[in-house]
Amino acid sequence: GAGVSQSPRYKVAKRGQDVALRCDPISGHVSLFWYQQALGQGPEFLTYFQNEAQLDKSGLPSDRFFAERPEGSVSTLKIQRTQQEDSAVYLCASSQGTSRYNEQFFGPGTRLTVL
Amino acid sequence: GIQVEQSPPDLILQEGANSTLRCNFSDSVNNLQWFHQNPWGQLINLFYIPSGTKQNGRLSATTVATERYSLLYISSSQTTDSGVYFCAVVTSGTYKYIFGTGTRLKVLA
């Protein structure tokens, strides 16, 4: 079966541009997570959705970051007015249920480079 | 917040050698996973192991939740085992993973 997919795989943006990153979770997975991974570091949590509800956005670094999942399936992470410090790999993960005991499955990530 | 420390930070092995990677966490956890991040950046699920012992081929893992640590064993290592190994935990009251500091493994042919 298909895993988590993300697009684009690579994105180069000029400082100040807006970008949109897409995540397609595993079909039927209720929970969806976004993480940010800086070079040489482990992934860090950004935000969490249960179906279409954004239950935790405590990891979003600034109000320039916005995520949505309007129909409880595909999710988009939007970064407005990109800055160089936004350069990182953005990872999406999904899990089957709503319990914190569920296994998370990760997509291949989108590598964002801000010039 | 919870601290998740992994050791060793770096490890170089000759092909065929065995190794043990350790993950220590500073608070009780509801969930723990081990991942292998390959050189292309993909996080591959190795074990979902909040407690107990599991084995999958050359890999096995043990989590002793009461003592707040988990171990990942790699036997007969292969060059394809190279990459970074992360443990990640979920604490009570949250759903998000907190990732450890990682162990960077290089297996030489």
Side-chain angles (χ1 to χ4, degrees), chain A residues 4 21 23-34 47-55 66-78 92-98:
Chain A
V4 179
L21 313 180
C23 172
D24 284 81
I26 294 172
S27 179
H29 276 199
V30 171
S31 295
L32 185 146
F33 304 81
W34 284 98
T47 187
Y48 165 57
F49 290 86
Q50 253 187 39
N51 295 303
E52 68 278 4
Q54 189 175 21
L55 298 188
F66 172 77
E68 60 183 4
R69 193 186 185 198
E71 297 178 359
S73 176
V74 171
S75 178
T76 303
L77 176 66
K78 298 179 180 178
C92 176
S94 70
S95 65
Q96 188 169 20
T98 59

Coordinates of all heavy atoms in Angstrom, one line a residue, chain A residues 4 21 23-34 47-55 66-78 92-98:
Chain A
V4 N 3.1 7.6 3.2 CA 2.9 9.0 3.3 C 3.6 9.6 2.2 O 4.8 9.3 2.0 CB 3.3 9.6 4.6 CG1 3.2 11.1 4.7 CG2 2.6 8.9 5.8
L21 N 3.6 23.6 1.3 CA 4.1 22.2 1.3 C 2.9 21.3 1.5 O 2.1 21.5 2.4 CB 5.1 22.0 2.3 CG 6.2 23.1 2.4 CD1 7.2 22.8 3.6 CD2 7.0 23.2 1.1
C23 N 1.1 17.4 2.1 CA 1.2 16.1 2.7 C 0.0 15.2 2.4 O -1.1 15.7 2.7 CB 1.4 16.2 4.2 SG 1.4 14.5 5.0
D24 N 0.2 14.1 1.8 CA -0.9 13.1 1.6 C -0.6 11.9 2.6 O 0.3 11.1 2.4 CB -0.9 12.5 0.2 CG -1.4 13.5 -0.8 OD1 -0.7 14.4 -1.2 OD2 -2.6 13.4 -1.1
P25 N -1.5 11.8 3.7 CA -1.2 10.8 4.6 C -1.7 9.4 4.1 O -2.3 9.3 3.0 CB -2.1 11.2 5.8 CG -3.3 11.9 5.1 CD -2.6 12.6 4.0
I26 N -1.3 8.4 4.8 CA -1.8 7.0 4.5 C -3.4 7.1 4.6 O -3.9 7.6 5.5 CB -1.2 6.0 5.5 CG1 0.3 5.9 5.2 CG2 -1.9 4.6 5.3 CD1 1.0 5.1 6.3
S27 N -4.0 6.5 3.6 CA -5.4 6.5 3.5 C -6.1 6.0 4.7 O -5.7 4.9 5.3 CB -5.9 5.6 2.3 OG -7.3 5.6 2.2
G28 N -7.0 6.7 5.3 CA -7.7 6.3 6.5 C -7.1 6.7 7.8 O -7.7 6.5 8.8
H29 N -5.9 7.3 7.7 CA -5.2 7.7 8.9 C -5.9 9.0 9.5 O -6.0 10.0 8.8 CB -3.7 7.9 8.7 CG -3.0 6.6 8.8 ND1 -1.6 6.6 9.0 CD2 -3.4 5.3 8.7 CE1 -1.2 5.3 9.1 NE2 -2.3 4.5 8.9
V30 N -6.2 8.9 10.7 CA -7.0 10.0 11.3 C -6.0 11.1 11.8 O -6.3 12.3 11.7 CB -7.8 9.5 12.5 CG1 -8.4 10.6 13.4 CG2 -8.8 8.5 12.1
S31 N -4.9 10.7 12.3 CA -3.9 11.7 12.9 C -2.8 12.1 11.9 O -2.3 11.2 11.2 CB -3.3 11.1 14.2 OG -4.3 10.9 15.1
L32 N -2.5 13.4 11.9 CA -1.4 13.9 11.0 C -0.6 14.9 11.8 O -1.1 15.7 12.5 CB -2.1 14.6 9.8 CG -1.1 15.0 8.7 CD1 -1.8 14.8 7.3 CD2 -0.7 16.4 8.9
F33 N 0.7 14.8 11.6 CA 1.7 15.6 12.3 C 2.6 16.2 11.2 O 3.0 15.6 10.2 CB 2.6 14.7 13.2 CG 1.8 13.9 14.2 CD1 1.2 12.7 13.8 CD2 1.7 14.3 15.5 CE1 0.5 11.9 14.7 CE2 1.0 13.5 16.4 CZ 0.4 12.3 16.0
W34 N 3.1 17.4 11.6 CA 4.2 18.1 10.8 C 5.4 18.3 11.8 O 5.2 18.7 13.0 CB 3.8 19.4 10.3 CG 2.9 19.4 9.1 CD1 1.5 19.5 9.1 CD2 3.3 19.3 7.8 NE1 1.1 19.5 7.8 CE2 2.1 19.4 7.0 CE3 4.5 19.2 7.1 CZ2 2.2 19.3 5.6 CZ3 4.6 19.1 5.7 CH2 3.4 19.2 5.0
T47 N 3.0 20.7 14.5 CA 1.6 20.8 14.7 C 1.0 19.4 14.5 O 1.6 18.6 13.9 CB 1.0 21.9 13.8 OG1 -0.4 22.0 14.1 CG2 1.1 21.4 12.3
Y48 N -0.3 19.3 15.1 CA -0.9 18.0 15.0 C -2.4 18.2 14.7 O -3.1 19.1 15.2 CB -0.8 17.4 16.4 CG -1.7 16.2 16.7 CD1 -1.8 15.1 15.9 CD2 -2.6 16.2 17.8 CE1 -2.6 14.0 16.1 CE2 -3.4 15.2 18.1 CZ -3.5 14.1 17.2 OH -4.3 13.0 17.5
F49 N -2.9 17.3 13.8 CA -4.3 17.3 13.4 C -5.0 16.0 13.8 O -4.4 14.9 13.6 CB -4.5 17.5 11.9 CG -4.2 18.9 11.4 CD1 -2.9 19.2 11.1 CD2 -5.2 19.8 11.3 CE1 -2.6 20.5 10.6 CE2 -4.9 21.1 10.8 CZ -3.6 21.4 10.5
Q50 N -6.2 16.0 14.3 CA -7.1 14.8 14.4 C -8.2 15.1 13.4 O -9.0 16.0 13.6 CB -7.6 14.6 15.8 CG -7.0 13.5 16.5 CD -7.7 13.2 17.8 OE1 -8.9 13.3 18.0 NE2 -6.9 12.9 18.9
N51 N -8.3 14.3 12.3 CA -9.2 14.7 11.2 C -8.9 16.1 10.8 O -7.8 16.5 10.5 CB -10.6 14.4 11.6 CG -10.9 13.0 11.9 OD1 -10.7 12.1 11.1 ND2 -11.3 12.6 13.1
E52 N -9.9 16.9 10.7 CA -9.7 18.3 10.3 C -9.4 19.3 11.4 O -9.0 20.4 11.2 CB -10.9 18.8 9.5 CG -12.2 19.0 10.4 CD -12.9 17.8 10.6 OE1 -12.5 16.7 10.2 OE2 -14.0 17.8 11.2
A53 N -9.4 18.8 12.6 CA -9.2 19.7 13.8 C -7.7 19.8 14.1 O -7.1 18.8 14.3 CB -10.0 19.2 15.0
Q54 N -7.2 21.0 14.2 CA -5.9 21.2 14.6 C -5.8 21.3 16.2 O -6.2 22.3 16.7 CB -5.3 22.5 14.0 CG -3.8 22.7 14.2 CD -3.3 24.0 13.4 OE1 -4.1 24.9 13.1 NE2 -2.0 24.0 13.2
L55 N -5.4 20.2 16.8 CA -5.4 20.1 18.2 C -4.2 20.7 18.9 O -4.3 21.0 20.1 CB -5.6 18.7 18.7 CG -6.9 18.0 18.2 CD1 -7.1 16.6 18.8 CD2 -8.1 18.9 18.5
F66 N 1.6 28.4 9.0 CA 0.1 28.1 9.1 C -0.1 26.7 8.5 O 0.4 26.4 7.4 CB -0.7 29.2 8.3 CG -2.1 28.9 8.2 CD1 -3.0 29.0 9.2 CD2 -2.6 28.4 7.0 CE1 -4.3 28.8 9.1 CE2 -4.0 28.2 6.8 CZ -4.8 28.3 7.9
A67 N -0.9 25.9 9.1 CA -1.2 24.6 8.6 C -2.7 24.4 8.6 O -3.4 24.9 9.4 CB -0.5 23.5 9.4
E68 N -3.1 23.6 7.6 CA -4.6 23.3 7.5 C -4.7 21.9 7.0 O -3.9 21.3 6.3 CB -5.3 24.3 6.6 CG -4.8 24.3 5.2 CD -5.4 25.4 4.3 OE1 -6.3 26.2 4.9 OE2 -5.2 25.5 3.1
R69 N -5.9 21.3 7.3 CA -6.3 20.0 6.8 C -7.8 20.0 6.7 O -8.6 19.4 7.4 CB -5.9 18.9 7.8 CG -5.9 17.5 7.3 CD -5.6 16.5 8.4 NE -5.5 15.2 7.9 CZ -5.6 14.1 8.7 NH1 -5.8 14.2 10.0 NH2 -5.6 12.9 8.1
P70 N -8.4 20.8 5.7 CA -9.8 21.1 5.7 C -10.7 19.9 5.6 O -11.9 20.0 6.1 CB -9.9 22.0 4.5 CG -8.7 21.8 3.6 CD -7.6 21.4 4.6
E71 N -10.4 18.9 4.9 CA -11.3 17.7 4.7 C -10.8 16.5 5.5 O -11.3 15.4 5.3 CB -11.4 17.4 3.3 CG -12.1 18.6 2.5 CD -12.2 18.3 1.0 OE1 -11.8 17.2 0.6 OE2 -12.7 19.2 0.3
G72 N -9.9 16.7 6.4 CA -9.4 15.6 7.2 C -8.5 14.6 6.5 O -8.3 13.5 7.0
S73 N -8.0 15.0 5.3 CA -7.1 14.1 4.6 C -5.8 14.8 4.3 O -5.0 14.9 5.1 CB -7.8 13.6 3.3 OG -7.0 12.8 2.6
V74 N -5.7 15.4 3.1 CA -4.5 16.1 2.7 C -4.3 17.3 3.6 O -5.3 18.0 4.0 CB -4.7 16.6 1.2 CG1 -3.5 17.5 0.8 CG2 -4.7 15.4 0.3
S75 N -3.0 17.6 3.9 CA -2.7 18.8 4.7 C -1.7 19.6 4.0 O -0.9 19.1 3.2 CB -2.1 18.3 6.0 OG -1.7 19.4 6.8
T76 N -1.8 20.9 4.2 CA -0.8 21.9 3.6 C -0.2 22.7 4.8 O -0.9 23.2 5.6 CB -1.5 22.8 2.7 OG1 -2.2 22.0 1.6 CG2 -0.5 23.7 2.0
L77 N 1.1 22.8 4.7 CA 1.9 23.7 5.6 C 2.3 24.9 4.8 O 3.0 24.7 3.7 CB 3.1 23.0 6.2 CG 4.0 23.8 7.1 CD1 3.3 24.2 8.4 CD2 5.3 23.0 7.4
K78 N 1.9 26.1 5.2 CA 2.2 27.3 4.5 C 3.2 28.1 5.3 O 3.0 28.3 6.5 CB 0.9 28.0 4.2 CG 0.0 27.3 3.3 CD -1.3 28.1 3.0 CE -2.2 27.3 2.1 NZ -3.5 28.0 1.8
C92 N 6.2 15.1 7.3 CA 4.8 14.8 7.6 C 4.7 13.4 8.1 O 5.4 12.5 7.6 CB 3.9 15.1 6.4 SG 2.2 14.7 6.7
A93 N 3.9 13.2 9.1 CA 3.7 11.8 9.6 C 2.2 11.6 9.8 O 1.5 12.5 10.1 CB 4.4 11.6 10.9
S94 N 1.8 10.3 9.7 CA 0.4 10.0 10.0 C 0.3 8.8 10.9 O 1.2 8.0 10.9 CB -0.5 9.9 8.7 OG -0.1 8.7 8.0
S95 N -0.8 8.7 11.6 CA -1.1 7.5 12.4 C -2.5 7.1 12.3 O -3.4 8.0 12.0 CB -0.6 7.6 13.8 OG -1.4 8.6 14.5
Q96 N -2.8 5.9 12.5 CA -4.1 5.3 12.2 C -5.2 5.9 13.1 O -6.3 6.2 12.7 CB -4.1 3.8 12.3 CG -5.4 3.1 11.8 CD -5.2 1.6 11.7 OE1 -4.2 1.0 12.3 NE2 -6.0 1.0 10.9
G97 N -5.0 5.9 14.4 CA -6.0 6.3 15.4 C -5.8 7.6 16.0 O -5.0 8.4 15.6
T98 N -6.5 7.8 17.1 CA -6.4 9.1 17.8 C -5.6 8.9 19.2 O -5.5 9.9 19.9 CB -7.8 9.6 18.2 OG1 -8.5 8.6 18.9 CG2 -8.6 9.9 16.9

